[in-house]
Amino acid sequence: MTPTQRPARTSTQGWVLGTVGGAPIVVAPTSLLLGLLLAGSWLPTVRSYLGALGWVAVVGVVVLTVMGVAVSILLHELAHGLTGTLLGRRPVLYQLHLWGGRTTFGPATNWRPWKDMLTSLAGPVTNLVLWALCRGAFSVLSLALPLGISFTLWALSWVNLALAVFNALPGLPLDGGHALAALVEQLSGRRRLGLQVAAWGGLGVVALIAWYWVLRPLLLVHRQPDAFDLMIVVLVAWPIASTCWTVLGLGGRNRAAARLDLRGLLQPVATVGATATVSRVRAVLSDGARLVLVSDGARLLGTIDAVGLDELGPLDEHVATAGQVCTALPARAVTTQVVGEQAAAALQAARSVSRWLLVVESGSVLGAVPTGAR
């Protein structure tokens, strides 16, 4: 990681810890709640095993464990980004938040569904590697290390195993769900079918969570689940259920958005190099393109449209270059969701940051949709 001079907090996203490959690492404020939940659930267990060492040792183990979980989640997301980069699609944002992490990618060329599958599975595989490393270190060094450190290694080994298994489950928005959707698309050529199969898988995951933590205790053990278990179930199951519900277009209020297809709204785009002159960009726009993408090799520097040209001050258009005057394209102004409520949500999110929503499908830029923003 390449750190900034000091961690900075943005008004909308969180704390920017640094950048990797040009993509910022942002910690959302909601991630603090995740840390508190982990600490609260782990403290009684640590106290029961290590209480004789005193409160300082107990609290220290809890803090080290929470930090280890955060590092594990970050490495999980960086694995997504590294795999995507190696396959031809660069990440533009890494984010840690209440439900773990998220890696946002920019557009790519010659992208295929099987690459999505590998990129998605890179995260759980990384957690499996971390599990093996922590387990091995615990087995070899547990007698030589202080008890608190050994206990932390043991805990992190199981946490990483749980992260690997859970994220590999075949339901959206989990990594396994994205991999399943990509596999179905690769075999059938139908992206929508892949998303629907993975969405039903996600609802199956929700049913499994409800059975194990709520229904099983009630029906088989005759014990009511405690409030903390119910809170964890809601926090885990809700984002899965809401994502799948949206993808499937269930419910009356979702049906109109579920019928949205951005391909019918696409406007043509063109690409120029960063050294192209502004006069060249103007000519490209005059030839019919509504949006010009400015690239430096495989990296997207920004965009230029007719409104942006009109807003430029006096300059020599035969000397000034596209790379000097282009406007950076925020991550929220790029989507791979073409149809349904996810496409509608992407369009709404882009409206607050950009005049255009760049639409990418299977790694290729399809075009751009005007958002209505000024």
Side-chain angles (χ1 to χ4, degrees), residues 128-347:
L128 277 179
V129 172
L130 292 174
W131 166 73
L133 291 175
C134 291
R135 190 72 176 175
F138 174 77
S139 300
V140 174
L141 302 175
S142 59
L143 296 179
L145 294 173
L147 181 58
I149 302 298
S150 297
F151 195 81
T152 303
L153 283 174
W154 172 82
L156 289 177
S157 69
W158 286 108
V159 166
N160 275 282
L161 181 60
L163 286 173
V165 172
F166 181 71
N167 277 286
L169 293 176
L172 292 176
L174 303 174
D175 294 328
H178 287 291
L180 175 60
L183 176 61
V184 173
E185 182 185 358
Q186 182 71 42
L187 296 176
S188 67
R190 298 168 59 188
R191 176 174 174 78
R192 180 63 182 166
L193 176 62
L195 291 173
Q196 289 174 330
V197 170
W200 283 112
L203 293 181
V205 171
V206 172
L208 181 64
I209 292 172
W211 164 256
Y212 188 83
W213 273 283
V214 180
L215 297 178
R216 185 182 64 88
L218 286 173
L219 299 178
L220 300 184
V221 187
H222 304 292
R223 175 183 62 85
Q224 289 188 347
D226 57 44
F228 187 83
D229 285 344
L230 290 175
M231 181 174 62
I232 295 297
V233 167
V234 171
L235 287 174
V236 172
W238 174 253
I240 298 176
S242 61
T243 298
C244 297
W245 196 267
T246 298
V247 170
L248 294 171
L250 301 175
R253 67 185 182 89
N254 295 326
R255 289 172 187 163
R259 293 192 294 269
L260 175 66
D261 190 335
L262 293 181
R263 286 170 291 200
L265 305 174
L266 290 173
Q267 300 295 316
V269 302
T271 303
V272 301
T275 58
T277 62
V278 173
S279 61
R280 170 59 182 160
V281 173
R282 189 178 294 279
V284 171
L285 291 171
S286 299
D287 287 341
R290 295 291 306 279
L291 183 69
V292 174
L293 308 181
V294 181
S295 66
D296 181 10
R299 187 163 62 100
L300 178 64
L301 296 181
T303 62
I304 306 174
D305 61 4
V307 175
L309 281 183
D310 293 341
E311 291 175 348
L312 294 177
L315 52 80
D316 187 342
E317 295 190 358
H318 296 285
V319 176
T321 65
Q324 294 172 334
V325 303
C326 65
T327 300
L329 190 67
R332 283 188 291 172
V334 180
T335 184
T336 58
Q337 306 301 324
V338 182
V339 297
E341 284 207 4
Q342 287 186 310
L347 185 59

